[in-house]
């Protein structure tokens, strides 16, 4: 008969001792399978650590390279943005300068327009004033007789060498004979006022002529020193003395 062989069980023992005088000795006993498992775990840990050592540096290097590239990209973008900001600031200053220049021009134009408006208003007032028959109808002095009945009239007796003049700007609408004074000139001033001049002298204007203040209508000689002067407003006679600017 053959004798059965028994497998020999191998156990491992770890002895833990202390260097103290009264240190105790401990025995840790591991069977064969536990030892193999521990060896596998140990090998895995060693491999993991070695992998970290070997490949960790490469991984960190790649991360650093990526980070550095990203930092460079960000720096480049910042530089580009800074350039754009500088250009925008320069453009802003140029625009502000243009705005200031345009504002100055606008102010100047506004002042010019205001000045021209004032001048136009003054000219308009002057023109309108020239259309109101307030001027004295003779270039020299004269005695005045006022007639207020029916058709108010001023009879002015002047001296030889003076002239009968238009008392406002207007258009001559009538030149003809007058039964009492010899000749008559009618001037329409275009604003409701009409002036009538009666004198024996020779008329210096004709129908359709435009006259201004002080335009000569008659010259006074030795035989025509008397002037009859009348004013109509909107078709009704008014007293010329109320309109006449008499000085002296």
């Amino acid at each position: 008969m053959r004798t059965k062989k028994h497998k020999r069980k191998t156990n491992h023992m770890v002895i833990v001792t202390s260097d103290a005088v009264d240190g105790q000795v401990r025995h840790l006993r591991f069977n064969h399978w536990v030892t193999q498992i521990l060896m596998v775990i140990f090998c895995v840990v060693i491999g993991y650590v070695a992998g970290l050592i070997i490949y960790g540096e490469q991984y960190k290097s790649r991360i650093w390279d990526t980070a550095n590239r990203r930092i460079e990209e960000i720096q480049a973008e910042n530089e580009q943005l800074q350039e754009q900001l500088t250009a925008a600031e320069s453009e802003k200053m140029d625009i502000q300068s243009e705005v200031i220049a345009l504002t100055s021009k606008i102010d100047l134009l506004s002042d010019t327009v205001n000045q021209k408006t004032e001048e136009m208003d003054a000219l308009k007032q002057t023109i309108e004033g020239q259309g109101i028959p307030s001027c004295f109808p003779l270039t020299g002095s004269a005695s005045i007789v006022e007639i207020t009945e029916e058709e108010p009239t001023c009879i002015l007796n002047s001296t030889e060498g003076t002239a009968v003049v238009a008392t406002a700007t207007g258009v001559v609408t009538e030149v003809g004979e007058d039964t009492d004074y010899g000749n008559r000139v009618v001037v329409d001033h275009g604003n409701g006022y009409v002036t009538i001049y009666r004198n024996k002298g020779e008329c210096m204007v004709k129908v359709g002529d435009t006259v201004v203040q002080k335009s000569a209508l008659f010259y006074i000689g030795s035989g025509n020193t008397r002037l009859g002067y009348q004013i109509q407003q909107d078709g009704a006679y008014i007293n010329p003395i109320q309109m006449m600017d008499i000085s002296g």
Side-chain angles (χ1 to χ4, degrees):
M1 292 180 65
R2 291 185 179 180
T3 305
K4 292 183 179 181
K5 294 182 179 180
H6 297 280
K7 289 184 179 181
R8 187 177 178 183
K9 294 182 179 180
T10 304
N11 293 322
H12 300 275
M13 181 180 296
V14 177
I15 300 173
V16 180
T17 183
S18 174
D19 58 356
V21 176
D22 56 350
Q24 296 179 353
V25 177
R26 295 183 180 180
H27 299 80
L28 298 176
R29 189 181 300 274
F30 302 97
N31 61 26
H32 175 70
W33 294 107
V34 173
T35 303
Q36 288 184 347
I37 292 171
L38 290 175
M39 289 299 294
V40 170
I41 293 172
F42 178 75
C43 292
V44 170
V45 172
I46 293 298
Y48 177 74
V49 173
L52 288 178
I53 294 172
I54 295 172
Y55 296 104
E57 292 297 329
Q58 296 178 359
Y59 180 72
K60 287 193 293 183
S61 178
R62 286 197 297 270
I63 291 176
W64 278 111
D65 291 340
T66 303
N68 289 331
R69 284 196 300 270
R70 183 56 184 160
I71 290 172
E72 290 176 356
E73 291 175 357
I74 293 173
Q75 289 177 344
E77 291 176 358
N78 287 337
E79 291 177 357
Q80 185 177 4
L81 290 174
Q82 187 65 36
E83 291 176 357
Q84 293 177 354
L85 180 61
T86 302
E89 289 292 337
S90 178
E91 185 177 357
K92 178 182 177 182
M93 293 180 65
D94 293 340
I95 292 174
Q96 288 177 342
S97 299
E98 291 178 3
V99 169
I100 292 172
L102 289 174
T103 302
S104 178
K105 289 182 179 179
I106 290 172
D107 292 340
L108 180 60
L109 288 174
S110 178
D111 293 340
T112 302
V113 169
N114 291 335
Q115 182 179 358
K116 293 297 182 183
T117 301
E118 292 176 359
E119 292 177 357
M120 291 296 293
D121 290 341
L123 180 60
K124 182 179 179 181
Q125 291 177 1
T126 300
I127 292 173
E128 290 177 351
Q130 290 177 349
I132 298 174
S134 59
C135 179
F136 192 67
L138 290 165
T139 57
S141 60
S143 61
I144 302 175
V145 176
E146 181 182 359
I147 300 176
T148 59
E149 297 176 357
E150 296 182 0
E151 298 178 356
T153 305
C154 279
I155 299 174
L156 299 96
N157 290 291
S158 185
T159 58
E160 184 178 355
T162 59
V164 176
V165 296
T167 56
T169 300
V171 177
V172 178
T173 57
E174 184 182 343
V175 175
E177 295 181 356
D178 186 86
T179 54
D180 294 330
Y181 291 85
N183 294 308
R184 180 175 64 180
V185 173
V186 179
V187 178
D188 187 352
H189 303 285
N191 52 8
Y193 287 105
V194 174
T195 51
I196 303 169
Y197 310 82
R198 306 172 190 269
N199 186 262
K200 289 183 178 181
E202 182 181 355
C203 296
M204 305 302 297
V205 294
K206 63 183 183 297
V207 174
D209 286 351
T210 298
V211 295
V212 297
Q213 283 184 342
K214 304 292 185 179
S215 292
L217 305 178
F218 299 96
Y219 285 110
I220 302 297
S222 58
N224 63 320
T225 57
R226 191 173 68 138
L227 169 68
Y229 177 59
Q230 294 176 301
I231 299 177
Q232 289 181 345
Q233 183 180 17
D234 298 326
Y237 285 92
I238 62 174
N239 190 345
I241 294 294
Q242 296 176 355
M243 299 290 296
M244 195 181 300
D245 181 13
I246 302 175
S247 58

